[in-house]
Amino acid sequence: MQSLLSLCAVQVTRHQTLACRALASLPRELYPALFQAAFMYGRTLVLQALVQTWPYPCLSFRQLLPKPKQLGWPERPRKESVQAVILALLAAPRSRESSSRRPQLRVLDMTGFLDASCGQDPTTMSMWARSVAVARTCLSAQTQARAAQRLAKRRKLEPQAPVTNPVEVHTDLLVNRTSYSVLKEALQTSTCGPLRLRCRDLWAEELSGPSTVALLELLDPVCLRQVDLRFNNLGLSGLCTVVPHMAKFTHLLSLKLQYSNVDVRRLTAEAENSFQHFVSAIGQLRCLKELNMGSSRLSGRLHQLLSSLQGPLESLELPFCALLPGDLSYLAQSPHATHLKKLDLSGNKLSGDFLGPFQRLLREASASLLCLDVTECQLMDVHLVSTLPALRCCTHLRYLGLYGNPLASAGMKTLIEHSQTFRELQLVVYPVPVDCYKDLPWPPSSANLLEGTVDEEKLASVQAELQQLIRATQHQDVLWTMDIYGHSSFDYFSL
């Protein structure tokens, strides 16, 4: 619930003109509460005044804004609030001389705010739009600074000294071919301007290898924490060009290379050489803790890739990687297994000859594993029941993804009955039970499960039985759902 201070701040910021006039006489200790209220309720005039007179060195969205779905607050802030904060940066330099309260702002930290999926909501500001807005603001600030210098020169005034108190803008950037030029220019010009753009997490979509390298060369080597290159179709040769440029990032913890068009199953001599160069480049990332190679065909080569790393991974995402039993056996015996917090094996077969190595991997990872995703892994009831002893060892499990597996209602009931072992469990995504389909071929493919006709009456009856079992476990705070998209994902950095 909102505190009394928060409730008062909401009321004060409703009267925006009066609130702006009163800021100079208010204690600095009230600024965080006023910012939180103004931001969440879209009080843009108050927001701009707060930023322009901010009495602290740092203004951090993550520290000031309420957590998602926190009681008493709107579910999501409006995009007007984000725009107001960004635009206030242009007016901030002027306010340094005119305001009775001298601003102390040196760092505006917008990282970790919203996510790319929020772009589907027209009332919010997508990551792409926010990236472009921040970039344009940095360019405008530099243009203003240069115009002021030219004016001073024409009037034969004392030349202005270089910017002595720039504001660093820390943000996460989403870049694609449409926004590439403006973001590249902003990064180039902000090195000496009044606003210094600093990227923490970089998402780059559909960019060529040379364009990606050009961006990486402009990023601060200390600030970058994550690089996510998706749908870039780089291939092994492209990755060999891009990844070596990441070695300079001393705090790079996460690297995601999904949909990079990598297939190591039948390599030519030249492609084999590229693979070895790629493995060597990955091994130069000294702090790496998360790796995503989604949709890369890594059959039989996982040991070469992971053994090059300088330390154990804590998050490993290998969806649709055509893994072999030997890959799972290596992973179970590797130093990574006992450190894994997040493991995604979606789209890889885990039945038959794969089941034993998979179960051994679960046992090795049991002490640390928090999130397990085995969507579309051809797991039937017999496989799930056989895996339960190993799965029950994972007592800290928070998320279990089972969607797209040919499980029957009997298998789900068995899982629910044993779920009390998972005291920290928060979310289970399970499939439509196979006994709720009409005329389902056996064994069913993933396409059959996605496109098959469901007996809605039977499904409703089964769901009622499952919910009754869930209530009987006295663990009703766990969400059991068949909706694979209607919930927030478990990000490595939030674990």
Side-chain angles (χ1 to χ4, degrees), residues 326-340:
D327 294 313
L328 296 176
S329 295
Y330 158 75
L331 190 55
Q333 299 169 8
S334 73
H336 306 285
T338 55
H339 292 80
L340 287 175

Side-chain angles (χ1 to χ4, degrees), residues 214-274:
L215 275 183
L216 292 174
E217 288 299 298
L218 295 171
L219 299 180
D220 189 294
V222 176
C223 293
L224 195 65
R225 182 186 71 167
Q226 180 182 78
V227 174
D228 188 336
L229 308 180
R230 58 181 70 183
F231 308 113
N232 293 306
N233 200 32
L234 294 172
L236 280 174
S237 60
L239 291 177
C240 288
T241 301
V242 171
V243 176
H245 291 270
M246 301 179 189
K248 69 173 184 176
F249 300 114
T250 56
H251 294 87
L252 183 64
L253 298 174
S254 172
L255 177 60
K256 300 192 174 187
L257 301 172
Q258 58 265 48
Y259 306 106
S260 290
N261 190 24
V262 171
D263 190 340
V264 302
R265 291 176 293 185
R266 290 176 293 274
L267 295 180
T268 63
E270 181 180 357
E272 179 65 35
N273 188 49
S274 294

Side-chain angles (χ1 to χ4, degrees), residues 50 305 319 367 404 461 488:
L50 286 167
L305 178 64
S461 174
S488 299

Side-chain angles (χ1 to χ4, degrees), residues 128-155:
W128 183 88
R130 190 166 70 253
S131 300
V132 172
V134 170
R136 288 176 175 165
T137 300
C138 291
L139 290 173
S140 297
Q142 181 74 328
T143 300
Q144 287 182 1
R146 290 172 178 171
Q149 290 177 347
R150 288 194 298 268
L151 180 62
K153 186 176 181 180
R154 284 200 302 270
R155 293 180 178 179

Side-chain angles (χ1 to χ4, degrees), residues 110-388:
M110 301 173 65
T111 59
F113 174 66
L114 301 183
D115 56 55
S117 63
C118 290
Q120 301 169 2
D121 185 345
T123 66
T124 66
M125 195 173 193
S126 70
M127 179 178 290
W128 183 88
R130 190 166 70 253
S131 300
V132 172
V134 170
R136 288 176 175 165
T137 300
C138 291
L139 290 173
S140 297
Q142 181 74 328
T143 300
Q144 287 182 1
R146 290 172 178 171
Q149 290 177 347
R150 288 194 298 268
L151 180 62
K153 186 176 181 180
R154 284 200 302 270
R155 293 180 178 179
K156 297 182 180 180
L157 300 175
E158 287 292 329
Q160 291 189 348
V163 179
T164 56
N165 294 315
V167 175
E168 291 190 1
V169 183
H170 293 211
T171 186
D172 302 324
L173 296 177
L174 174 58
V175 189
N176 59 19
R177 285 179 290 184
T178 306
S179 61
Y180 173 76
S181 295
V182 66
L183 284 165
K184 180 182 177 183
E185 185 180 0
L187 288 167
Q188 287 174 326
T189 59
S190 70
T191 56
C192 57
L195 299 180
R196 308 286 171 88
L197 190 56
R198 300 286 185 265
C199 177
R200 184 190 68 161
D201 295 347
L202 175 69
W203 283 265
E205 297 181 351
E206 300 178 342
L207 293 185
S208 67
S211 295
T212 305
V213 169
L215 275 183
L216 292 174
E217 288 299 298
L218 295 171
L219 299 180
D220 189 294
V222 176
C223 293
L224 195 65
R225 182 186 71 167
Q226 180 182 78
V227 174
D228 188 336
L229 308 180
R230 58 181 70 183
F231 308 113
N232 293 306
N233 200 32
L234 294 172
L236 280 174
S237 60
L239 291 177
C240 288
T241 301
V242 171
V243 176
H245 291 270
M246 301 179 189
K248 69 173 184 176
F249 300 114
T250 56
H251 294 87
L252 183 64
L253 298 174
S254 172
L255 177 60
K256 300 192 174 187
L257 301 172
Q258 58 265 48
Y259 306 106
S260 290
N261 190 24
V262 171
D263 190 340
V264 302
R265 291 176 293 185
R266 290 176 293 274
L267 295 180
T268 63
E270 181 180 357
E272 179 65 35
N273 188 49
S274 294
F275 179 66
Q276 297 301 332
H277 279 294
F278 170 63
V279 168
S280 177
I282 289 285
Q284 298 304 309
L285 307 179
R286 292 171 291 176
C287 297
L288 197 65
K289 293 298 180 183
E290 178 175 47
L291 179 63
N292 183 329
M293 294 295 298
S295 296
S296 298
R297 302 298 187 260
L298 299 174
S299 307
R301 307 298 291 271
L302 191 63
H303 67 287
Q304 289 178 268
L305 178 64
L306 299 187
S307 61
S308 69
L309 300 178
Q310 297 189 26
L313 293 172
E314 295 181 355
S315 175
L316 180 60
E317 296 172 283
L318 299 170
F320 300 93
C321 285
L323 299 181
L324 299 178
D327 294 313
L328 296 176
S329 295
Y330 158 75
L331 190 55
Q333 299 169 8
S334 73
H336 306 285
T338 55
H339 292 80
L340 287 175
K341 296 180 180 179
K342 181 177 181 179
L343 177 62
D344 185 352
L345 297 174
S346 300
N348 294 285
K349 183 179 179 181
L350 294 179
S351 57
D353 293 340
F354 297 76
L355 191 61
F358 170 57
Q359 292 172 351
R360 288 194 293 273
L361 175 57
L362 286 183
R363 291 190 181 93
E364 292 298 321
S366 60
S368 59
L369 194 62
L370 304 178
C371 299
L372 175 65
D373 198 338
V374 287
T375 297
E376 294 186 35
C377 289
Q378 303 179 33
L379 293 172
M380 303 179 189
D381 283 11
V382 62
H383 308 127
L384 179 61
V385 171
S386 172
T387 304
L388 273 176

Side-chain angles (χ1 to χ4, degrees), residues 12 15-27 30-31 34 49 100-101:
V12 168
H15 308 281
Q16 296 198 61
T17 303
L18 293 176
C20 290
R21 292 175 183 171
L23 281 182
S25 58
L26 291 178
L30 295 179
Y31 266 62
L34 292 170
S100 59
R101 186 190 293 271

